[in-house]
Amino acid sequence: MRSLYRQYTLATLFIIGISILAGFLIVSIIYNIQIKEKNDEKNVGVAIEITSVLEKMHGGGFNNYLESITKLGYQAYVINENEEEYSYGEPFQDTELPEEIRLEVLNGNIYHGMRDYQGKFFIFNHYANSVRNTVGIPFEHEGIVYGLFIRPNNQLLFSDMHLLLLGFLLALAVIILTSMLLLAKQLVKPIKQLNDATKHVMVENYRVELDITRNDELGQLARNFSNMVKQLELNDEARKAFISNVSHDFQSPLLNIQGYADLLKSTDLSKEERENYIQVIDQEAKRLSNLTKQLLLLTSLDQSARPVRKSDFRLDEQLKKVIYKYRWRIEEQNMDLSYEMEPVMYYGDIDLLENVWDNVLTNAIKYNVAEGEISIKVIDGSDYVRISFQDSGIGMKEEEIDQIFERFYRIDSSRTKEGSGLGLAIVKEIVELHKGKIEVTSNINEGTLFVILLPKQIAF
Ligand code: ADP
């Protein structure tokens, strides 16, 4: 795998390389188009000045004058018609001068070598230490025709100031490069940490500590990651608790069925005993079937596997049908059920809402007292339909109310054998699916009031 840091370093170096090359090309082009010719012209001017002095000079002093000129920062080379050659100042590295150039100058023409020289690569032509990279001027001295070839000495071109500037550029390059690499390291560090953390989470180790306290996008990513891990941990715990609850709730009715089935095998059982045992098996099988149905419904609601099927229906009539379904049970326990229902046309999922009334009503029966009361009211409000279930049952404590909507939560499983603790979890999911609210008020031994508010305009 190519690390991000390596890729970044290589890209930086590549960009620096390309920039240097591009800069060099641009400078070379400007040099070729503009500077080269001007430079040539300037030096021709200087050379003409020198030769005019030399032409006026009589007797000695010729050599001394040229020597002193070179001390001002020039290199000079002199030829004459007698094929004599002299060098002044810093000697040229390359003194080869083609015959046609010599003749051109000795015949009275100016040689523009600094403009036309092409021996080296681009801008390096400027520094070529060759007689061909000079300007050549003809002059006469004491009746002899000479040619003076001069150019500025490279040492003059590289003054201390130039070296200082070069040093400055180098230092700048080193500082920029190291800071970019340090910055890259700083950027890559949190990504590496996050990468390591994901490996821990993959093997269900949620105790990951991230040492990232930045305020930028990476810091935000780290904070979101930590929150996600916390949520994953909670989900994982919930999943494990769910599996253990499900296993436990399946295990006890199965054990009962198994035990009573064993008892039924015995031949010396009275008819009454046999019927009792069969009834227990029947009850436990129903409990299992009910539990499975509730689990399936919850899972389908969780995964949105069951689409919400909305339609217009009479909510009050649906509630009456549910009450009718349980009338035998209410009568059996000598309970008093009364209701006051305004006619309500509601737009929602008829099957899911039936589950809600079913669960809340059976709870009002299950957790009631013998000869207790149940009162149901439906009010058609302007924005909400308000459905309330008041029972005179055993009630619950304030702190328990918050938990009753959790899956498998049962306040005291010994209070009633029936129930799985899933009913109200289902109720909550369905009401929330309809964007509704549930309010519970309860007092121990006095009773409980469940109020369900369903909004009338819902967008599914
Ligand atoms: P269950 O299947 O046990 O009835 P629910 O999810 O329907 O599960 O309810 C959770 C718990 O809330 C019940 O076990 C019960 O203790 C409590 N509860 C629900 N409704 C009432 C009520 N009307 N009166 C008293 N307690 C109730």
Side-chain angles (χ1 to χ4, degrees), residues 91-157:
F92 284 95
Q93 236 166 41
D94 175 13
T95 49
E96 197 200 313
L97 202 58
E99 198 52 36
E100 66 265 24
I101 298 177
R102 287 168 193 271
L103 287 175
E104 190 188 336
V105 175
L106 292 175
N107 284 337
N109 299 310
I110 295 176
Y111 168 62
H112 293 280
M114 289 184 79
R115 186 189 65 194
D116 303 331
Y117 182 73
Q118 290 298 353
K120 289 213 156 69
F121 185 65
F122 290 117
I123 197 153
F124 294 118
N125 283 330
H126 187 65
Y127 303 104
N129 192 0
S130 162
V131 182
R132 274 171 298 152
N133 188 23
T134 56
V135 289
I137 308 287
F139 69 95
E140 239 188 87
H141 180 68
E142 292 180 342
I144 303 169
V145 178
Y146 286 88
L148 168 69
F149 295 86
I150 64 157
R151 57 163 274 108
N153 188 347
N154 277 343
Q155 264 165 17
L156 181 86
L157 295 177

Side-chain angles (χ1 to χ4, degrees), residues 294 359-360 363-364 366-368 391 393-396 404-406 409-412 415-416 418-425 442 447-448 450:
Q294 283 187 316
N359 275 307
V360 182
N363 278 352
K366 274 193 298 189
Y367 304 109
N368 216 321
D391 67 55
I394 54 174
M396 40 189 154
I404 54 173
F405 295 101
E406 284 171 20
Y409 181 78
R410 301 180 69 198
I411 293 178
D412 178 4
R415 298 203 298 184
T416 167
E418 267 184 83
S420 58
L422 290 175
L424 287 180
S442 187
T448 305
F450 269 88

Side-chain angles (χ1 to χ4, degrees), residues 9-62:
T9 311
L10 284 178
T12 309
L13 290 176
F14 180 74
I15 291 169
I16 290 177
I18 291 285
S19 316
I20 290 175
L21 213 70
F24 182 74
L25 274 174
I26 292 168
V27 166
S28 295
I29 289 167
I30 295 172
Y31 169 74
N32 265 324
I33 295 175
Q34 286 210 330
I35 301 186
K36 224 165 120 174
E37 192 152 352
K38 273 193 193 155
N39 212 19
D40 188 282
E41 251 173 57
K42 222 164 68 189
N43 282 289
V44 168
V46 173
I48 289 173
E49 292 273 337
I50 298 170
T51 49
S52 68
V53 174
L54 286 171
E55 280 184 337
K56 282 177 207 141
M57 214 173 249
H58 297 290
F62 182 99

